[in-house]
Amino acid sequence: MTDHHAPLFIDVAGTILTADDKRRLMHPLVGGVTLFARNWVNRRQLVQLCSEIKAIRGDLLICVDQEGGRVQRFRSDGFTVLPPMRSLGLLWQSDDSAGMHKGLPGSGALRALNAAVATGYVLASELRACGVDLSFSPVVDLDWGGSTVIGDRAFHADARVVTVLAQGLLHGLLQAGMAHCAKHFPGHGHVVADSHVDIPVDERSLAEILRDDAAPYAWLRASLRSVMVAHVVYNRVDRRAAGYSSRWLQEVLRERLGFDGAVFSDDLSMAGGRVIDGRPVDAVTAGVAALNAGCDLLLLCNQSLDGGHALDEWIDGMERQLARGTWSQQLQGERRRLALLPQAWPLTWDELMQHPDYLQALEQLP
């Protein structure tokens, strides 16, 4: 255990590290890096980039959004193009019409569960073979049918189905030695607005949200390692978005649901993350508010371009606020961050391509 807390997750500008990237990654408050499609050319380059990052600090957590479907950053040069999670929900509803299990009720659910495990294993083993530590997946939002940003990223509309399929995906990730990040607590699927460009407001009661959208977090309690919080305002619970709400993060997530893993903010540069109590805020103010509400780790994405001045302002500003005492380092948060690092060496890509578990998983993808 280190004697400090490194809650800041940043991004890097391109396919190799610049001097500015390296300087930022060496900062003691920086705990990880999020990769994007602009950081990708091919597998060889990705392996080299991840190696460069780890050479700076071996404890830096290398992350990516690799869900499948329309949210998959790496999808060429051998990476399996994964289906959206809705495909698993559709498989769940489709019992066998022919073959060994023809007409057997529940056969579709069993095939979907196997496919979820296989999807998690393929997703994680390919990333780990290239040096990536963590994918921000699975999405456990419910598919209410109207969301402009969730849509087919969700498994299903039924929280019970979402929970079982997410559990399968978590098992597949774990088989490949990868932790996970369930998102977006307590649920982003009911609101229509996209928090990347708007401030979604959900008018339901706490009881309704706990019964439906937040139910997977309670049912997955024994398995969850980390969660990401939604930039959604749930007006009848708290006027602040969930990521800035101690009621959501401390009273509900920690105390009522008993969650002890890492809590990530969503990207603080999103429109839904740049307003608190109805007032625009900068990334430093947002970061301090998120940490004080109960987040362990903060994401600020796509700010390294054009010299990365926004990242420097954020890192320097968070350091100044720490010195002023407006937020404090939490060793529990650092413990939770370090627990997300892989605990075993991955297979190389060539080894993976011949590994029986991987080949079998490919056959079971939906």
Side-chain angles (χ1 to χ4, degrees), residues 54 76 254:
K54 291 293 187 178
S76 59
R254 295 291 190 203

Side-chain angles (χ1 to χ4, degrees), residues 79-101:
F79 268 94
T80 302
V81 177
L82 298 167
M85 294 302 100
R86 179 183 285 168
S87 66
L88 293 167
L90 293 174
L91 183 59
W92 178 284
Q93 297 173 186
S94 176
D95 290 334
D96 287 342
S97 59
M100 183 187 308
H101 305 297

